[in-house]
Structures are given as C-alpha cells and as structure tokens.
Amino acid sequence: MVKALALFSGGLDSALSARIVLDEGVDLEAVYFVNAFLPAPLEIKPFLMKQAVRLGIKLHILDISRSHLAMIQAPRYGYGQHMNPCIDCRILMLRQARAYMQEHGFNFLVSGEVLGQRPMSQRRDALNIIDRDADVKGLILRPLTAKKLTPTVAEEKGWVDRDKLFDFSGRTRKPQLALAEKLGIEEYLTPAGGCLLTEAEFTRKLRDLISSGKVGLEDVHLLKIGRHFRAKSSLKIIIGRDEEENGRLMDLAKNEDILVKMRDFAGPLTLLRTNGLEETSNGEIPKLIETAARLTARYSKGKDEERVGVDYWSKNSGEKRFIQVTPAGEDLIARMRI
Ligand code: SF4
C-alpha cells in the first residue's frame, strides 16, 4: 500500500490536507516538528494527539529546536515582518521530513500549504525555492492547491486522483472553511500555531538576546515569561508577572542564578541570570543584586515605601541574604527594560 507522511501543524489546512489524502485511500501518518518558538508546546501536544486520533492517523513528534534555533539566527532568505524566517523554516522542516520519509519507507509527503496564502513562504517562487533547497521537488503533494501546481509523483503514478484535489489560492480562507464544514473538521489551531517569531514584543527580546551573544534554548524559553531587563551585555534580570510565572522562573533558574524576593510585602520572584559570573569576581554582581532588588520592590506591594527589605539567594546554595533598598523609579525601568 502507498504510504504518505503529512506535515502536521494542528491548523485547519494541515487537517484538511490529511483528510483529503486519507479519503484517496492512502496509508497516512503525520509528523509535527517542535521548535523553541511555540508559545505553549505542552498545551499544543495533547490537542495534536486528539486531532490525530480523530483523523485516524499515527502522529510522530520530532524536536528540531536546536537546528531551528541555529537557523533563525542567519536565515538565507531573510525574515518576514518580524523575525519569522518562514522560507528557511519550511526548508528545514521539509528536509527533516524527507529524511524521515526515506528512513521509514514513505512514498511521498503531504503539506497543507496554499498558493498565495502567506505572503512570504507560499508565493509560487517561494514554494519552488523551498522544494528545490529541501530536495523534495515532485515528492510533496499540496492537496488544497494541487491543481494550481505542476503534478507531483503521487498524481503521475496514480497514487492519488488529481481530480479529487483542489485549486485553492490566495489569502481568503472561505474555501477551506466551507470544506471543513463539509468534512466535519471543527477544531483546529490558529494559522502558524501562534509562532512567537511573528510577534513584535517577543522578537524585541529575542533580538536583544542574540545581540548579547548568549543564545541557548533555556534562554529562549525564559523569553516567554516575565518582564525582562538588560543589566550588562550578557546579564539579565527577569521579573515574574504572576504566580505561574514565578513558578516557571524557579523551574528555569540555573544553579548559579540569583533569586530575589520581597521579605515583608507580596511581590514577584526575580531571577538574576549571572551566566556564571562570581559574586566575588568584582563589584558587578553586588551592584546588580541591588538593582534587581530595587526592580523587584517596584513591582511589589511595597512600591510606595521609602525603604524595603529584600531577600536574595543563589539557587545553588539556597542560603538567604538580606538587603534594604529604595524601590526603582521610572527612569531606571526605562533605561533597562527590554
Ligand atoms: S510562522 Fe514560524 S513556524 Fe511558521 S514557517 Fe514561519 S517561522 Fe516557521
């Protein structure tokens, strides 16, 4: 039996494409690529699993976070409106999908792309570049827009009937919504799955991180929570905005990070990322602890007090120390906020 591998995003277009190919009698499985710029991967996964079960397909989840993070720092085809390198991102995913396809004996790939739907990666010339650079020319069937494109191997060999495929194009979603209703597909994620690389606020913090020269996956995950302040080229202060973020900050803290909390007032947890700089190495860290304490106080119930007490400790030792500070003013915040 002919086997195909669909690129799955949880969005409407990938669900429709999977359903069309399944209805053509192809044995279909799907792959979902995890990268570091998904807003809430832990919440997305159960949804994807549910959607795959509803469609009756096996879902493989592959983590490409490391190669994706390297790619976004120097994309060959540049960025979209923010820091979304959609053409390079598609090439990376399709290369990985091709390797998986060959390794596991699939005959072709399936993708939910629609010609002209996204300005950067779904123009005809962009699709050609993507197929060429990912080495999937003729191997990738795009069922929603197939009739606007050159026939692929799957159509030429009669594995799927081209007459049952579609000719959608352009930015309108109406044909997909009508087809979803007809096929009974009701639940799906927003287009692009909420990719954080398309968001202005997130990409401002990401640019700052990249220019600091220190870009690890843990640092990217930290960008998703809290208020961020640049303390020195490679050092940062991050302040939780609610209990959940305080908990996440605690989880993401490294042994050498310093944590800061108000002693007598309700307030946030603050993380000072020292990047291994010793407290005794020069006067830098004590000064930064004071700054972190002042910022913490500013976002606490003690923000209008003249002086407040703040505890700080390294995650490593857990031994609490104490400092008295004046809550930060707007000028300090304006100078440091990323
Ligand atoms: S929106 Fe994000 S995940 Fe989607 S192709 Fe662009 S960079 Fe990749």
Side-chain angles (χ1 to χ4, degrees):
M1 191 176 189
V2 174
K3 277 173 65 175
L5 181 69
L7 279 87
F8 208 56
S9 68
L12 176 58
D13 295 351
S14 71
L16 287 173
S17 300
R19 195 42 212 286
I20 294 163
V21 173
L22 278 169
D23 289 350
E24 292 243 19
V26 172
D27 182 7
L28 189 74
E29 296 184 18
V31 60
Y32 178 80
F33 291 109
V34 175
N35 69 59
F37 300 98
L38 301 167
L42 294 179
E43 287 158 34
I44 289 176
K45 278 186 197 173
F47 176 82
L48 295 171
M49 302 304 290
K50 213 164 93 184
Q51 205 186 37
V53 168
R54 266 199 221 116
L55 286 162
I57 54 178
K58 186 169 172 187
L59 179 65
H60 308 273
I61 296 185
L62 301 185
D63 192 334
I64 57 165
S65 296
R66 283 188 195 283
S67 44
H68 191 267
L69 179 58
M71 177 274 292
I72 68 125
Q73 292 174 67
R76 179 170 176 197
Y77 296 103
Y79 300 111
Q81 195 186 355
H82 295 291
M83 270 189 83
N84 48 310
C86 294
I87 295 180
D88 293 80
C89 184
R90 293 299 299 170
I91 292 169
L92 176 66
M93 287 194 273
L94 283 174
R95 271 197 202 136
Q96 302 278 344
R98 186 184 205 279
Y100 197 86
M101 174 187 108
Q102 288 177 325
E103 208 178 310
H104 294 88
F106 291 95
N107 300 92
F108 66 99
L109 299 172
V110 176
S111 159
E113 289 154 307
V114 169
L115 186 65
Q117 183 143 117
R118 297 234 217 127
M120 186 174 191
S121 60
Q122 296 181 8
R123 299 184 321 255
R124 190 179 292 276
D125 59 333
L127 290 179
N128 287 336
I129 288 170
I130 290 167
D131 290 2
R132 182 196 66 201
D133 288 12
D135 200 12
V136 295
K137 243 184 177 32
L139 288 178
I140 179 156
L141 178 72
R142 298 177 168 97
L144 295 177
T145 202
K147 285 183 173 166
K148 296 268 181 197
L149 304 173
T150 312
T152 62
V153 171
E155 293 146 280
E156 281 168 352
K157 290 201 183 241
W159 295 335
V160 294
D161 180 354
R162 188 169 166 90
D163 286 344
K164 292 184 182 154
L165 305 176
F166 293 84
D167 63 351
F168 301 164
S169 68
R171 308 213 56 173
T172 174
R173 308 275 303 154
K174 278 188 192 153
Q176 284 98 313
L177 293 170
L179 187 59
E181 204 178 323
K182 192 170 151 203
L183 297 178
I185 295 175
E186 287 169 357
E187 284 184 57
Y188 40 86
L189 298 175
T190 53
C195 173
L196 291 168
L197 294 168
T198 62
E199 288 184 9
E201 195 192 331
F202 182 84
T203 51
R204 194 178 61 244
K205 291 188 277 184
L206 180 61
R207 279 203 179 89
D208 167 82
L209 181 67
I210 291 173
S211 62
S212 78
K214 172 81 191 64
V215 193
L217 283 177
E218 308 85 5
D219 300 291
V220 170
H221 291 309
L222 261 184
L223 296 184
K224 299 175 192 173
I225 49 173
R227 301 177 178 92
H228 288 236
F229 299 85
R230 177 57 66 195
K232 193 174 169 277
S233 65
S234 65
L235 309 185
K236 274 179 93 173
I237 294 167
I238 302 151
I239 302 182
R241 287 174 295 198
D242 54 36
E243 276 311 305
E244 195 190 329
E245 289 196 347
N246 292 345
R248 292 274 298 132
L249 277 180
M250 185 64 98
D251 292 343
L252 288 167
K254 295 179 182 172
N255 278 345
E256 71 266 22
D257 287 339
I258 291 171
L259 297 159
V260 180
K261 197 151 180 55
M262 299 296 289
R263 176 165 280 192
D264 300 315
F265 291 93
L269 181 76
T270 294
L271 184 151
L272 170 56
R273 176 130 290 178
T274 62
N275 284 328
L277 195 65
E278 295 285 332
E279 205 174 324
T280 49
S281 61
N282 55 29
E284 204 72 56
I285 294 294
K287 252 192 272 160
L288 286 179
I289 291 171
E290 185 182 340
T291 305
R294 292 189 65 203
L295 290 166
T296 307
R298 165 66 179 72
Y299 292 102
S300 77
K301 295 276 186 212
K303 68 179 178 1
D304 298 322
E305 302 291 317
E306 200 145 308
R307 301 282 286 171
V308 287
V310 182
D311 287 320
Y312 67 94
W313 64 99
S314 80
K315 184 158 184 202
N316 202 9
S317 73
E319 187 193 327
K320 282 197 175 146
R321 283 177 281 172
F322 177 69
I323 185 173
Q324 276 207 318
V325 294
T326 307
E330 289 306 322
D331 54 332
L332 183 66
I333 290 172
R335 250 195 345 266
M336 294 185 67
R337 186 84 190 252
I338 299 167

